[in-house]
Amino acid sequence: MPPSSPHSPLPDHPGPRRRSLLGAAAAAPVLASLAGAGSASAAPAPASDGAAAGRRALPGGGDLGPNVIVFDPSTPNIQGRLDEIFKQQESAQFGTGRYALLFKPGTYHGLNAQLGFYTSVAGLGLLPDDTTINGDVTVDAGWFDGNATQNFWRSAENLALVPVNGTNRWAVSQAAPFRRMHVRGGLNLAPDGYGWASGGYIADSRIDGQVGPYSQQQWYTRDSSVGGWLNAVWNMVFSGVEGAPAQSFPEPPYTTLESTPVSREKPFLYLEGDEYRVFLPEKRTDARGVSWGHGTPRGTSLPLSGFYVAKPGDSAAVLNQALEEGLHLLLTPGVYHVDQTVDVRRAGTVVLGLGYATLVPDNGVTALRVADVDGVRLAGFLVDAGPVNSATLVEVGPEGASADHSANPTTVQDVFVRIGGAGPGRATTSLVVNSRHTIVDHTWVWRADHGEGVGWETNRADYGVVVNGDDVLITGLFVEHFNKYDVQWNGERGRTVFFQNEKAYDAPGQAAIQNGSVKGYAAYKVADDVTEHEGWGLGSYCYYNVDPSIVQHHGFAAPNRSGVRFHGLLVVSLGGNGQYECVINDTGSPTSGTDTVPSKVAQYP
């Protein structure tokens, strides 16, 4: 068992993660004065012209429901309401509560928005600085004795913060994005007491002061600006970040790309006057720094009337009817049980979730499927496997998809997948990407290692992410605990910037993970016939606590050819519970007995 006392905050003193023992309309262009010309790649198919609206049986727009709570600077007792929701959600890791806390543009004083599970906080301005909180948006780990390794499923977006003591605390692990934020001060990524923390994703944000990861074992920051970065533990990755540390892997373990090859920021809800709209940022290539830095966000805008505003209790048939009638989907907070696949067939469709809206397939169907069309945007929701095995949970493009989407790719952002934990769940494969040029930007695909319905066969899930499409880019890939390959990449010219993985804790013995003549399935497998692939900043960890004698041959497997390249690889055995013999293929030193020390390969081949 880990010690109950917190670890030292010293940068060179990480603590191993041991969760299983610790817890159980047509796109309307933005006004020229704001945005200039929108990118052609951002324009959806018509969805809100008058004729189409006249034919609809389902309405567009409407009330956002009781779990979307909207504040303005004159709202009385904002702090009391924030505290009430936090008290309910602080430790409700597998509960059904879902909340979006939205702040209208203006200035707020003296607030501390503590965020528990399934709680999102966001500003409703077009720019982060339109909504300024003189106070904090805080994630800490008091509920878990100072251990932040289970601080999942919460988010902050589109706000400016002026922290009370100069530094905001954001102690999170997986599935907790910090997007489009302006911190006028520093940012501390560790819990109070500097206990364990293991996750992290920042995008399109500006932190004026220093970012202090302290005990954070890995982190990915994309297209942002920081005033400084304090330390690195195992795997810190940056792409397109102004002020990032220089490339230095393996020591200190900074993997730094000057720019992000392709990015398109997540859609977001905002107010134009008294009307809600959804902003769709344009695609950027070789991106660096925030997308909103000059006060002129570029992209397009959709009225809320172009969306079916879904509520928990809406059936899959209703969601599909809305899509067929040309509406986009706004999933308000709650749990949606679907007995048929939600089919996204129209180019440019937006499916945007608020407050961790959750889709659960009840009868083994695929929860959501996208056709091989341009410009679909999936963002901000959770898919929770149901008790009947699904062959797949999310499918982007049909099998054999081959259309060129380079000008207008599909994006999958803050879409998280879970198998077990909240109850029985099974799925053979969680996320399958078949469409070319898809951008997956921040996902956590998780076969649960704690909670309800957890066991080697109970929440069986062989594959986490399978990429069949060519030219797919993933920025911020977190995949954990699958029975076989966590990631299997079959497409050509794939690229991954940052990968974090833990092999399944609960393997009953060596035979259970044996892959033919190979000891264990790699965390990240590139198919033998792939000729071009590249990855930066990838880590795999093992913690075989059921049988600590298990040997994993390697964390990464790929064809040995010049077009397949990796930069900044590492494997770690947590406390000697299982061992790696190599890092990638037959290259790299074995892990070191009971010492939780990474084995690293700076470049491969």
Side-chain angles (χ1 to χ4, degrees), residues 281-436:
E282 74 171 16
K283 187 185 76 170
R284 297 199 290 167
T285 57
D286 297 320
R288 182 171 173 83
V290 299
S291 68
W292 46 271
H294 301 292
T296 53
R298 297 180 64 84
T300 53
S301 175
L302 291 168
L304 193 63
S305 60
F307 286 76
Y308 177 68
V309 180
K311 307 285 172 51
D314 280 339
S315 67
V318 169
L319 301 180
N320 281 326
Q321 180 184 348
L323 292 168
E324 289 167 4
E325 291 180 0
L327 290 164
H328 306 275
L329 293 181
L330 185 72
L331 304 175
T332 63
V335 179
Y336 297 74
H337 287 268
V338 295
D339 60 358
Q340 58 182 268
T341 299
V342 177
D343 265 316
V344 180
R345 300 175 180 174
R346 179 173 46 88
T349 299
V350 179
V351 180
L352 176 61
L354 301 179
Y356 284 83
T358 302
L359 300 178
V360 182
D362 283 334
N363 53 356
V365 299
T366 297
L368 186 142
R369 182 167 51 213
V370 179
D372 194 21
V373 294
D374 274 357
V376 170
R377 303 184 195 224
L378 309 179
F381 57 90
L382 173 64
V383 176
D384 213 349
V388 178
N389 186 74
S390 294
T392 61
L393 291 172
V394 178
E395 185 177 279
V396 180
E399 184 177 351
S402 60
D404 186 325
H405 303 295
S406 56
N408 191 5
T410 285
T411 47
V412 181
Q413 299 177 284
D414 300 346
V415 174
F416 307 117
V417 179
R418 177 173 66 194
I419 301 94
R426 295 172 66 92
T428 304
T429 304
S430 293
L431 171 63
V432 179
V433 180
N434 293 317
S435 286
R436 294 181 61 196

Side-chain angles (χ1 to χ4, degrees), residues 90 139-149 151 169 171 191-192 196:
E90 179 183 13
V139 178
D140 207 342
W143 75 278
F144 203 45
D145 297 325
N147 181 331
T149 62
N151 279 354
R169 185 181 303 280
D192 186 31
W196 299 330

